[in-house]
Amino acid sequence: MNQKILIVDDDPEIVRLIRHILESQDFEVLEAATAAAALALALQEQPSLILLDVLLPGEIDGYEVSRRLRENPQTAHQVIVMLSAQSQTADRARGLIAGADDYITKPIDVVELVTNLRDLLRQPRDGQPPTYVLTQMLHAVLAVLDAELGWLLTVDKNGSSLKPASIAAASGDEISRKYLRSVIREQDQASIPLASGTNLIGDVLLSGQALVGMSGEEIDALPGGEQLVRGMQAIEAAAINILPISLRGVKMGVFVCLFKTSKPERGVDTQLLSVTAMQVALAVENLNLLERVGQRETESRAAQRFHETLVDAMGDGLVVLDAKGAIQFVNRRLTRMLGFKKEELLGKAFYDLIRPDERAPSRQFIDETGGKTVSLEKSLLRDDGSVLPALVVHVPQSKNGGAQDFGNVLVITDLSQQQERETALLRQTRQLAAINHAAQAMAASLDLDAVPQTILEETVFVMGARGGAILLIDDESRDLIFRAVVGPQSEVLLGQCVPMGQGIVGWIAENETPVIVDDMLNDPRFYKQIDVKTGLTTYSASGAPLLFKRQLIGVLEVINKVDGKFDQDDLSVLESLALAAASAIVNARLYRDLKDHAIELEKAFGELKEADRIKDEMIQNVSHELRTPMTFILGYIEIIANGELGSVTGEQRRGLEIVRKKARSLMTIVSDIVALQRMSVDTLDRRLMEVPQVIDQAVKTVEIASRDGTYKFITDVPYDIPNVRADAERISQVLDNLLGNAIKFSPEGGIISVQARAAVNDVVFTVQDSGVGIKPENVRNVFNRFYQEDGSTTRRFGGVGLGLAICKEIVEAHGGQIWVESEPGKGTIFSFSLPRINEPAIT
């Protein structure tokens, strides 16, 4: 696309000439004869370059047009070339200071014009910083003043210091950098404080007195001049001007200008310096204004984007009307609600969106609200002709009479969605109440014969169906059996069988998937035999598998909805009921099984009690029948052994001794059996028992019985050990048995220790031997009745394995515990505990 060039000149001949030249070079040419037209076209057409005549009709000249173009962010980037018959250096400087990129004097050289324009258009301007204008202005000033370097410093926002704003050097940027490195040596010196007496540049601005044509020696003699002298020496400058920049009494900055040659005639350039200072001040003001305008525009655009996003994100529609009721603005929500595009609604009368029979009262509703916010339900027309029920809230027009006045605002809420939500919520509430009632009814009974029927009746009622069935899987055939039926002629189906995979219920069971069938007669899965048997016509059905812990137990089916057809909501309700039904049926089965099992257990318990009674009688009889003859046997053995029935030889006496030992062993076994049989808490004679006394007596008893051995007994019982409440005779029996075992299984000369110690809640008794020990795998069995570690133990040590069992019975009857620790070849430790008390013992 050809580049646009705007010619601003009120001389038609000049315009015609320039147009001819530019069009021959393939430029698109625009024309403006006045400043106002130029500013309007520059904003509207966005030309790449503007040829601007200095002298224009009216009060605004080319300099002012250039400044306004530079102040507007939308035109600041455009290339400006000034055309003027005024060829003075000051005029050129004024044009460049006003923002022009070039200054061409009349008469125009055609070749020079085209060359300059193409060069200027080739230079990129997009993205240039605002200080670009200042830098270009400084270059222009250097050309006018024939100076080497110009440095502009401006007052910061706080008014407390001077900040470098721009610098330019006639010999190139390296001179500028060299000057700054010598003047600003440290990072914290990048700003110059505005305090009297601290530096020469600040003093010039504060005093308002310019320093013109000053040599290095003169500057060095002034307070704070060393900094500037370093800069002059760095670029070999001979003279310096320091000009305060003020506008309308406001101190704006300082302009420092350095020259290669001295300026002895200081008054010659006074007028030029004054114009220069003024133009620099205007440029600084324009730059500040440009920055403020840009910042405000950025903030305004951000606020506008935020407001638009906020309005578009509203959950309701928003409409702004003008005074005539035409739509000025709509948000995105309203376009979605009505189906119109935004462009189709703008300018349209809002009344046209209201259903015709509601338009007249709506006009009164909007126009005559008396300044109050009012709401009313209305029917709005969608783009497709359908009606949208809506709540329209009217915020009346502002009457402040200022620039912020706005038209009527309407907030529109879609009531159709609200009504749908309310309807859905009401339906869900009713469904949940029905499901809850059905679940309670299902859980109310544990009778397996009644539960399926109760479940089905509640389900049919909740689903609004005419009938239904529950089919359960037969454990043997794996077919579906009708266990509950609701509907006409339903009784004929009870107990009937449906093979797995046949019919709708068979398909549900096989696939374990719920289903809705709207047209049963045309569904290939329909099992017609059911309708044949009942005489009922099934035209729709819904069913769900009965699953308990992912295990299929049957199918729940309802048929022929009373009102309409079954839908997905119905299916969701049916699935919920099916879950509750499966749990209820499984619970009823478990209850039945538990009840049957309880009956069996009760019967078995009765049989065990009878067997126990018979056992007790048998033991009583056996013990009586054994003890009586054994008493006679032992008595006659003593009589014979004593020679009362005649003389007895030594060999006969030895034989009688063997018989006596065996008879006594048999009596001990009988006594142990009777003791086990009669042992209980009720048989104990509990009294306060002194622990040391019982242990001492038990040890002395076994010492007397084992005098033929060489065992060593050690007792360790604290004198202050707590008392226990126990049957002392029974506890002595426990100690006797444990000590007897220790002697039995310890080698000749073995050490046997008896200890007692107080625990937190108990007194613990310990009997330790140094005998053969017990294998780890046999430790758990030592307290079982009739247990021996192996046959060799029985043969070697004798006994039938009742001693430790008796100990366990006695200790546990006292509320204590008994345990054993043993290691083969290193001995055994038997320990038992009895609950402690803090009462003194009865002596």
Side-chain angles (χ1 to χ4, degrees), residues 463 514-516 542-544 567-576:
M463 298 296 296
V515 70
I516 296 174
S542 180
D567 56 23
Q568 289 299 320
D569 289 338
D570 292 325
L571 191 59
S572 298
V573 173
L574 188 63
E575 288 184 85
S576 299

Side-chain angles (χ1 to χ4, degrees), residues 99 108 130 134 192 273 300 311 321 350 412 439 484 570 620 749 782 810 829:
I108 299 171
L134 290 179
I192 299 175
L273 289 175
S300 176
V311 170
L321 306 179
F350 179 74
I412 301 172
D570 292 325
Q620 292 286 346
V782 296
I810 293 173
I829 302 174

Side-chain angles (χ1 to χ4, degrees), residues 633-650:
I633 292 172
L634 287 172
Y636 276 102
I637 289 175
E638 291 293 333
I639 293 173
I640 296 172
N642 292 332
E644 296 179 10
L645 298 180
S647 60
V648 180
T649 65

Side-chain angles (χ1 to χ4, degrees), residues 260-292:
K260 281 290 188 180
T261 59
S262 61
K263 296 289 183 177
E265 300 178 5
R266 297 179 180 178
V268 174
D269 298 323
T270 301
Q271 182 178 3
L272 181 59
L273 289 175
S274 177
V275 173
T276 300
M278 177 60 69
Q279 295 301 322
V280 171
L282 290 173
V284 172
E285 184 182 43
N286 290 339
L287 177 62
N288 293 337
L289 180 62
L290 184 63
E291 290 178 349
R292 289 195 297 272

Side-chain angles (χ1 to χ4, degrees), residues 142 145-150 168-172 175 235 237 257-260:
L142 295 180
L145 299 179
D146 191 24
E148 173 60 21
L149 183 140
S171 302
I175 296 298
I235 65 171
C257 188
L258 283 77
F259 300 88
K260 281 290 188 180

